[in-house]
Amino acid sequence: MSLRLSSKLSPCPYGAIGIATYTNVVEIIYDEDAKGVELDLNGTKLSSEPEIVLAIAKAAGLADDSAKSTSFFDLAKTLSASSSGVPEILTCLDTLDDHLAWRTFLVGHSITPADWLVWGAIRSTTRSMGLLKNNKHVHLVRWQTYFETLESTQGAYAALTAAKASKTRNTKTAAGFQIGLKDAKMGEVVTRFPPEPSGYLHIGHAKAAILNQYFAKMYDGKLIIRFDDTNPTVERSEFEETILEDLRLLDIHGDIVSHSSDYFDQLYEIAVKLIKDGKAYADDTPHSEMKEKRWHGLPSARRDASVEENLKHFDEMKSGSEEGQRWCIRAKISVDNPNKALRDPVIYRVNLTHHHRTGDKWKIYPTYDFACPAVDAIEGVTHALRTNEYRDRHPQYDWMLQATGLRHVHMWDFSRLNFIYTLLSKRKLRWFVETGIVRGWDDPRFPTVRGIRRRGMTVEALRQFMLSQGPSQSVVSLEWDSIWSNNKKIIDPITPRHWAILETNMVPVTVNGAPKEQEVKTLPKHKKNDALGTKKTVFWDRILIEQEDAKSFDDQEEITLMDWGNAIVRKVTKDESTGVISAIEMDLHLEGDFRKTKKKITWLAQPAPPADPLIPITLVDHDYLITKKKLDDEDEPVDFLSPASEFRQEALADANVVDLKKGDLMQFERKGYFMYDGESSEGKKEFILIPDGRAGSVASKAVEGGYVDPAVQKVRDAAAANPKVPAKAKQEDEPVSKMYKVAPLVNDEVSSEPASKMYKVARIH
C-alpha cells in the first residue's frame, strides 16, 4: 500500500499520516503534484481521510469498535470543517475532555482509528490547537500530548518537514525511514551501535545511535550496544562508562550491552578455520611494503604458503613471541580486485598491550573488519547500519560472513553527518583539550554529545533533525542554523522567563509616579504556560536599565517598561566627553498604549532592603573554534584557530534565578535562551547562551586584529617558534570529563567514575 499526498496540502491529513507511520504498513510518498490525499490499496484508490484511516487500521490489525467509533468520526468531521466556529469547536473539545477524564484512549483500551482521526483533526486546525492552550481541557491535552510524542509521530513530522523543505518535485520521502530496512519483520529486527571505547561520542555518533534505536523501536526489536574493544592500545575502561553516559543523555538505552572481547575465543576458532579452509594466510611482509603491494595489486610472497605453515605462524602470534610479532593473518580474497578493500585485508595482528577486560590472556586481536561482521552474526543482528563512507567495504563484510559460514546480515548505510566550522576528528579534538583552548570534552564549543547538550541542545531536537535527513546518501557540510532553530521551537514553550541587566555602565532611573515603597507582585514565569509557576517582581520608583537602552531613547519619548506599563523619558544626564549616560528621570504613564511604543525594555528594581538582592551572574556566549568551514585531512587546527571563541558578560539578574538547578533551561528576555551551568570557582552563577538558529547566533564571530584568547596566543607562539613540531595530544594524558554524574545503565565490569561538574541525572534503571 502507498499513501500519496503533497506536503503543502491544507488542511494536512495528519490522521492518515499518523496512523500510516504508526502501523508501518504503508509507504508514504510526498508528491508535490498530488491534488489531494490518496491511498492505493492493492489497486483500489481511496481519497477520503476517514476511509483511508479505517483501511490502514484494518490492514494493520488495529482494534476497532465501529459502533462506538461513529460518534468520534462525527466529532472529527466537525473539528476539521472550515465552517465550524469557535462555539462548535469548544463543544467538541469539552465532550472529548469529559470522555477522556477516566480513559486513556477514545474507544476501548488500545489505540483505534478513532484516536488517529480525532487527533489529526485537532492537529490540522489552528483554532482547535489554540483553544487547547487555554489549559481548560487537561484530559484532552494529556491524550493529545501522548500522540504528539510518539516516536512514530516525531518521525512523521520530521519527514513532512523535510518534504516541505525539498524543492525537488515528485520527491519520495520515506516517513521516518519507513522503507529503509530490507526484509524487516516486526519483533525480529536487531540493530547494534558499536562504539570503540577510546573517546567521547560526538554528534556524528549520535546520528548512528539514534537511527539504530529508531529502527529497533519501529519494528519492536532490540538494540545492542556493543563496545568494539579489539585495539587495547587506545581503549580505556573509563570510556565505556562515559559512552554509556553520553547515550543516556541522548535517551538511548540498549536492550543488551556487550563487548567484542566476549567473543575472542570464538573469533580465534573462526580464524583457525579460515586458515584450514585455505581462506586466510600468515604474512610477515613489512607494513610499508604490504601497503605498496596492495595498492598496485601485487601478491604477497607468503600468499600460497601451506596450511601447516600458516597455523604454525598463527601459534607464534598467539604466544606473543618475538618471531610471532613479525606476522599477521590476512584474508585470502583477491590480489588485484578494483575494490581495494578486497585486496587480502588483515584480519588478525599481534598487540602485547594489556587489555582492560581480558588482561594478558590474548596477544593477538581481530581487526574491526573481521570482528564486526562475525560478532554481528553471532549476536543475531539482522540489520547493520553504518555511514556510506564504508560502502566499499560492504563486499568485504559479505565475504567474511560467507567464508566463515555465518548467517547473513543486511547492510543499510546512511550519509555521514558533517557541520561547517566543526571538527569530528578524535585526534584534533584531543589537541584542543591538551592545549587548554577548551576546558574538557564537555566544553560547549565541542561537537561531543556532552558538549552540545551542555550548550542547551535537547534530545528531541537532535532526534527530529537526524530523522529529517531522510535516507539521503549525500555527504555535505550542514549549517547549524536549522538544528538550533528547531531546538528553539522545542524549548520556547517550556522555558521560564527572567530578566538580567548588563553591569557595564548600567543606568539608575527615577520613575516619577511609581511606588515610593517597594511593592512585590507575583507574575507568571511564562505568560503562555501557567504550569511553569510564578515569580516575584519588585516595583519601585528606583530602577536599573542597560546603557544601550538608555542611549536609544529620544527626549520626551514614550517607552514601555515590560510587565509594568508605559513611561515618558523626561530627563537624561550624560557625560558629553564619553557619551555615557549616568542617570534618567521618567514619568510613569500607565494610561499609555504599549502597542504604540517602539521600545519595550527590561528593567530591575534597584537592590535595597527588604527586597531580595539582585544576583550577580555571568552570561557566556561561544563561537566556533576554527575559522575554516571544513578542515582537510592535512590541515592542522593551529593554522585556523579562532582568535577568541568564548565571550563573557557580567550582569545582574532578578532574585528568582536562585531557584534554578544546574542544567535548567530558561530565557533572559531580550537576551536569549540560556542553560544554567552552575556556579564558577568565584561563586558566581554562569549561564550559557543557547543559539536560536538566527544568523547572528550561528555566524562566525572571529575578528582578526581584535581580542585574542591567551590560550590561543600561547599556542600560536609555540607553533611559530617550532613550526615542525605538531601540537598533538597523547592518549594516555587525556583528562576524564567533568560532565555531571549519571547512574549506571547496567551492572557490568566498568567501574571508573569520572569527576562531575554538571547537574545530577536521576537513575534510569
Side-chain angles (χ1 to χ4, degrees):
M1 291 192 297
S2 63
L3 184 68
R4 185 180 296 272
L5 70 157
S6 166
S7 63
K8 308 295 194 300
L9 188 61
S10 180
C12 181
Y14 283 109
I17 295 173
I19 193 171
T21 314
Y22 177 75
T23 58
N24 192 35
V25 297
V26 179
E27 176 188 351
I28 300 180
I29 300 174
Y30 287 109
D31 180 352
E32 301 313 316
D33 287 334
K35 301 303 182 183
V37 58
E38 182 180 84
L39 177 69
D40 186 339
L41 182 62
N42 301 321
T44 302
K45 309 289 187 180
L46 300 177
S47 57
S48 163
E49 188 177 12
E51 290 180 342
I52 291 172
V53 170
L54 283 171
I56 295 175
K58 184 176 180 180
L62 284 189
D64 183 36
D65 185 332
S66 57
K68 294 182 179 179
S69 297
T70 302
S71 59
F72 294 110
F73 276 46
D74 291 339
L75 282 175
K77 184 177 181 180
T78 302
L79 286 167
S80 58
S82 59
S83 59
S84 297
V86 171
E88 291 89 348
I89 294 175
L90 270 176
T91 299
C92 293
L93 297 182
D94 291 342
T95 299
L96 289 168
D97 190 62
D98 291 341
H99 181 76
L100 289 166
W102 302 101
R103 295 175 177 87
T104 302
F105 303 110
L106 293 179
V107 179
H109 301 288
S110 60
I111 296 176
T112 67
D115 291 291
W116 284 113
L117 199 63
V118 172
W119 171 80
I122 294 174
R123 182 67 179 79
S124 64
T125 56
T126 55
R127 283 174 296 179
S128 297
M129 294 297 290
L131 290 170
L132 285 183
K133 292 181 180 179
N134 293 331
N135 296 318
K136 294 181 179 179
H137 302 87
V138 291
H139 308 298
L140 181 57
V141 168
R142 179 256 306 159
W143 172 87
Q144 183 84 2
T145 302
Y146 171 79
F147 283 89
E148 290 281 338
T149 56
L150 284 174
E151 190 91 16
S152 61
T153 305
Q154 293 299 309
Y157 284 158
L160 180 59
T161 300
K164 286 181 178 179
S166 174
K167 296 180 180 179
T168 305
R169 303 182 71 80
N170 289 326
T171 298
K172 292 185 178 182
T173 303
F177 295 87
Q178 293 281 349
I179 61 175
L181 296 187
K182 182 180 180 181
D183 297 333
K185 297 180 181 179
M186 289 299 293
E188 297 181 14
V189 169
V190 179
T191 62
R192 89 299 194 250
F193 177 62
E196 181 183 56
S198 61
Y200 299 81
L201 298 187
H202 56 59
I203 193 167
H205 298 125
K207 180 175 182 179
I210 287 172
L211 291 182
N212 274 284
Q213 176 166 273
Y214 178 79
F215 281 124
K217 285 188 174 183
M218 176 192 295
Y219 293 104
D220 194 23
K222 293 181 180 179
L223 168 65
I224 298 173
I225 297 172
R226 181 203 309 145
F227 290 105
D228 176 51
D229 54 346
T230 57
N231 185 4
T233 301
V234 298
E235 295 157 3
R236 291 163 57 185
S237 58
E238 52 263 44
F239 281 127
E240 295 189 4
E241 181 57 32
T242 58
I243 287 172
L244 291 175
E245 288 177 5
D246 288 344
L247 292 174
R248 285 192 290 275
L249 289 172
L250 293 172
D251 196 24
I252 291 174
H253 316 286
D255 298 283
I256 301 169
V257 176
S258 67
H259 299 75
S260 294
S261 57
D262 297 337
Y263 307 96
F264 278 174
D265 289 296
Q266 288 172 264
L267 293 171
Y268 171 75
E269 294 299 332
I270 292 172
V272 169
K273 185 177 185 300
L274 281 178
I275 294 173
K276 290 181 178 179
D277 291 344
K279 297 177 181 178
Y281 62 95
D283 193 5
D284 65 345
T285 303
H287 176 73
S288 58
E289 183 182 340
M290 183 187 299
K291 184 178 180 181
E292 186 76 11
K293 284 187 173 182
R294 290 190 71 210
W295 180 261
H296 293 290
L298 301 174
S300 165
R302 306 290 188 182
R303 196 171 197 270
D304 295 323
S306 68
V307 170
E308 291 73 23
E309 288 181 280
N310 291 327
L311 290 174
K312 174 186 174 184
H313 294 310
F314 198 24
D315 283 339
E316 285 286 349
M317 290 173 59
K318 186 181 180 185
S319 70
S321 67
E322 188 173 342
E323 171 64 17
Q325 293 175 50
R326 295 177 47 243
W327 296 81
C328 68
I329 301 298
R330 298 175 66 180
K332 196 173 184 179
I333 305 176
S334 173
V335 171
D336 56 0
N337 193 293
N339 183 349
K340 293 182 175 63
L342 295 176
R343 294 184 181 180
D344 291 4
V346 174
I347 61 172
Y348 253 96
R349 75 282 201 212
V350 177
N351 191 329
L352 304 183
T353 307
H354 180 86
H355 191 281
H356 68 278
R357 295 189 76 244
T358 62
D360 298 316
K361 175 182 178 181
W362 293 96
K363 304 295 188 295
I364 53 173
Y365 294 92
T367 61
Y368 178 82
D369 288 339
F370 174 62
C372 184
V375 177
D376 281 348
I378 293 170
E379 288 193 323
V381 172
T382 61
H383 294 80
L385 280 61
R386 57 182 178 182
T387 55
N388 54 15
E389 63 187 304
Y390 295 107
R391 185 172 291 169
D392 286 348
R393 295 181 182 270
H394 287 3
Q396 182 197 87
Y397 183 101
D398 290 336
W399 185 93
M400 296 292 179
L401 294 178
Q402 292 168 9
T404 55
L406 294 170
R407 52 181 290 280
H408 176 68
V409 178
H410 290 290
M411 296 297 297
W412 193 94
D413 56 14
F414 54 92
S415 61
R416 176 176 173 170
L417 197 61
N418 295 307
F419 284 94
I420 60 170
Y421 300 114
T422 303
L423 294 168
L424 297 182
S425 163
K426 197 178 299 182
R427 175 181 68 83
K428 291 175 180 177
L429 291 175
R430 190 180 300 120
W431 179 84
F432 277 95
V433 176
E434 289 296 323
T435 55
I437 294 175
V438 300
R439 297 183 179 85
W441 290 86
D442 61 349
D443 193 287
R445 292 164 286 187
F446 258 18
T448 53
V449 168
R450 54 193 58 209
I452 58 176
R453 290 281 285 125
R454 188 177 171 196
R455 200 173 181 184
M457 180 67 70
T458 61
V459 173
E460 292 82 0
L462 273 173
R463 182 185 297 115
Q464 289 182 20
F465 181 80
M466 301 308 179
L467 295 177
S468 71
Q469 299 301 299
S472 169
Q473 298 295 320
S474 301
V475 180
V476 295
S477 291
L478 302 169
E479 302 275 353
W480 279 97
D481 56 350
S482 59
I483 190 170
W484 284 117
S485 177
N486 192 47
N487 189 66
K488 173 191 173 182
K489 293 177 183 177
I490 291 170
I491 66 175
D492 178 76
I494 58 172
T495 50
R497 272 50 171 171
H498 295 281
W499 288 351
I501 302 297
L502 296 180
E503 284 188 347
T504 303
N505 295 324
M506 59 185 176
V507 182
V509 178
T510 300
V511 185
N512 300 318
K516 295 292 184 181
E517 301 292 331
Q518 294 176 349
E519 293 183 6
V520 179
K521 296 182 179 180
T522 299
L523 301 176
K525 289 182 178 179
H526 193 307
K527 293 181 177 65
K528 297 181 180 179
N529 188 352
D530 293 339
L532 294 179
T534 59
K535 61 182 179 180
K536 294 179 179 179
T537 300
V538 179
F539 293 81
W540 196 24
D541 65 352
R542 282 172 282 176
I543 64 174
L544 297 171
I545 66 172
E546 290 189 355
Q547 181 72 206
E548 185 177 351
D549 285 333
K551 286 183 176 180
S552 72
F553 298 158
D554 294 326
D555 185 37
Q556 307 304 310
E557 180 179 9
E558 186 167 358
I559 57 97
T560 298
L561 299 172
M562 292 174 61
D563 284 353
W564 194 347
N566 287 5
I568 301 173
V569 179
R570 295 303 188 190
K571 180 180 178 183
V572 176
T573 304
K574 179 192 294 187
D575 185 328
E576 296 300 333
S577 62
T578 62
V580 174
I581 294 175
S582 58
I584 287 180
E585 271 192 39
M586 297 181 180
D587 288 345
L588 196 62
H589 184 227
L590 298 181
E591 300 80 14
D593 187 349
F594 72 91
R595 291 169 294 186
K596 295 181 180 180
T597 60
K598 294 181 179 179
K599 295 161 189 159
K600 279 81 174 172
I601 68 166
T602 49
W603 53 274
L604 290 173
Q606 294 183 31
D612 293 328
L614 300 180
I615 309 299
I617 64 170
T618 302
L619 305 178
V620 188
D621 189 12
H622 295 96
D623 192 10
Y624 302 113
L625 290 166
I626 55 176
T627 58
K628 186 177 180 181
K629 283 192 173 183
K630 181 181 184 301
L631 289 192
D632 298 321
D633 291 340
E634 65 274 11
D635 289 338
E636 290 298 330
V638 68
D639 299 319
F640 303 96
L641 284 176
S642 293
S645 55
E646 184 174 86
F647 310 93
R648 307 171 76 85
Q649 291 181 301
E650 306 307 316
L652 293 176
D654 63 75
N656 299 281
V657 300
V658 298
D659 298 328
L660 295 173
K661 297 179 177 61
K662 195 168 187 176
D664 281 352
L665 303 178
M666 48 80 66
Q667 183 189 51
F668 283 123
E669 294 196 79
R670 300 179 67 228
K671 290 190 175 354
Y673 302 91
F674 291 82
M675 172 176 272
Y676 175 45
D677 197 44
E679 294 187 355
S680 65
S681 56
E682 294 81 24
K684 185 174 287 188
K685 295 181 181 295
E686 294 193 344
F687 294 82
I688 294 175
L689 179 66
I690 304 171
D692 59 13
R694 291 184 294 182
S697 74
V698 294
S700 175
K701 305 175 181 69
V703 180
E704 287 296 341
Y707 172 76
V708 179
D709 185 279
V712 172
Q713 190 61 55
K714 182 179 179 181
V715 170
R716 286 180 172 179
D717 293 343
N722 193 4
K724 293 184 179 181
V725 179
K728 294 181 181 178
K730 294 183 179 180
Q731 173 84 23
E732 57 268 21
D733 295 330
E734 188 171 326
V736 174
S737 167
K738 294 181 180 178
M739 192 68 171
Y740 53 86
K741 184 177 179 181
V742 185
L745 181 67
V746 295
N747 292 323
D748 55 21
E749 297 180 28
V750 179
S751 59
S752 178
E753 196 169 280
S756 171
K757 284 183 67 179
M758 287 191 71
Y759 58 94
K760 299 283 185 181
V761 176
R763 179 178 291 274
I764 297 172
H765 297 290

